[in-house]
Amino acid sequence: MGIPEGAATELAAKFEALFPHLDERQRRLVIGAEARSLGHGGICVVARAAGVREGTVSRGVSELESGEAPLGRVRRPGGGRKRAVDLDLGLRPALLALVEPDVRGDPMSPLRWTTKSTRQLAAELTRQGHRASADTVAAVLREEGFSLQSNAKTVEGAQHPDRDAQFRYINDQAKDFQAAGDPVISVDTKKKELVGNYKNAGHQWRREGDPVRVRTHDFPDADLGKAIPYGIYDLTADAGWVNVGTGLDPGFWTPETLGS
């Protein structure tokens, strides 16, 4: 069965309407698809209708039959809807100013978390004149190193009615000292750990039936005792000192035990 008369004329009109909206590869795929649908002799007819070489049509057919990934969206560099944080350059610092006094957690940790919900933060930003949704707030917080934590971790028991004011006062004082180049010291001690061959909650890959043998009971070793991690960190200088003691608890140090 031959190709109907007038097919080239109809194709030429179709190509004339489509081609201005397509890139080079898309044009090859379109003419390749038309040639395949026409069957024998289709390459020649399509080439005449599109005003291209037959080799170009053949290449389009080959690309369709090669199994290449479908075309993605074609967009100019920088195209698409701009993010709110890119349109409003004051949004990010305004958000960080809201959460910074209420940030909790280990000052040495790269992960931070805050007690304010994204909806509360978005509402306050909107009140300040920054158009931001809860999703926008969450995205910016993730970019700044914050992470979503369980609500249970924000419960700290009964609180004094002035606790929030005290916390903000301490934070303001620390910022003033840092601005002046003075040290701001954070002191912390961690959970005591037995030193020796004791069981812990970790896991490791080993051959089946060959676990690491550890002590049956967790009685402290008379010679090794317990390790007591204790650290001092200067937020201004970004420098710290860590001691792992095996003797007295740092919480009970006195001038006499320190040798002064």
Side-chain angles (χ1 to χ4, degrees):
M1 178 178 180
I3 298 174
E5 293 183 5
T9 302
E10 294 178 4
L11 284 175
K14 179 189 294 186
F15 294 153
E16 184 178 1
L18 282 176
F19 281 5
H21 305 286
L22 306 178
D23 61 28
E24 184 177 347
R25 185 185 177 214
Q26 290 170 333
R27 293 175 186 175
R28 286 199 307 273
L29 295 178
V30 167
I31 60 179
E34 291 289 353
R36 284 206 309 180
S37 67
L38 291 176
H40 181 70
I43 290 178
C44 180
V45 173
V46 169
R48 288 201 309 270
V52 299
R53 297 184 300 107
E54 292 184 11
T56 301
V57 182
S58 298
R59 183 180 173 187
V61 174
S62 299
E63 289 182 21
L64 286 173
E65 296 174 348
S66 67
E68 292 186 25
L71 288 171
R73 294 182 61 186
V74 177
R75 176 180 289 174
R76 298 188 308 273
R81 184 178 180 181
K82 300 293 185 182
R83 301 189 308 164
V85 71
D86 295 326
L87 293 173
D88 182 358
L89 298 182
L91 192 155
R92 186 185 299 270
L95 173 58
L96 294 179
L98 286 176
V99 300
E100 193 272 337
D102 295 320
V103 170
R104 303 177 183 177
D106 184 352
M108 293 297 290
S109 173
L111 292 179
R112 297 182 292 177
W113 56 286
T114 178
T115 58
K116 294 181 178 178
S117 72
T118 54
R119 291 185 182 278
Q120 290 174 321
L121 292 168
E124 177 59 23
L125 287 170
T126 301
R127 191 189 69 79
Q128 294 181 11
H130 304 283
R131 298 185 60 182
S133 66
D135 289 341
T136 296
V137 169
V140 175
L141 288 178
R142 281 193 292 268
E143 292 174 2
E144 292 295 328
F146 287 80
S147 61
L148 183 63
Q149 302 289 336
S150 169
N151 289 338
K153 291 188 178 181
T154 67
V155 178
E156 300 178 358
Q159 297 183 5
H160 191 280
D162 295 330
R163 181 188 182 283
D164 186 63
Q166 294 170 348
F167 186 79
R168 292 180 181 274
Y169 173 78
I170 294 172
N171 179 79
D172 291 340
Q173 290 293 304
K175 290 173 66 176
D176 289 342
F177 274 85
Q178 285 183 294
D182 296 326
V184 177
I185 304 300
S186 173
V187 179
D188 195 14
T189 182
K190 296 301 183 182
K191 179 178 176 290
K192 304 171 188 175
E193 295 289 348
L194 293 171
V195 179
N197 190 26
Y198 296 99
K199 178 177 175 57
N200 58 50
H203 295 80
Q204 61 178 311
W205 289 100
R206 294 179 62 88
R207 291 191 178 276
E208 186 174 354
D210 183 28
V212 174
R213 266 60 177 178
V214 297
R215 294 187 178 188
T216 304
H217 301 289
D218 292 341
F219 298 126
D221 187 292
D223 297 322
L224 298 178
K226 294 183 178 180
I228 308 170
Y230 179 79
I232 300 174
Y233 175 59
D234 182 353
L235 280 70
T236 304
D238 191 20
W241 171 85
V242 176
N243 176 73
V244 181
T246 57
L248 295 174
D249 189 325
F252 296 96
W253 281 352
T254 64
E256 289 75 17
T257 58
L258 289 172
S260 60

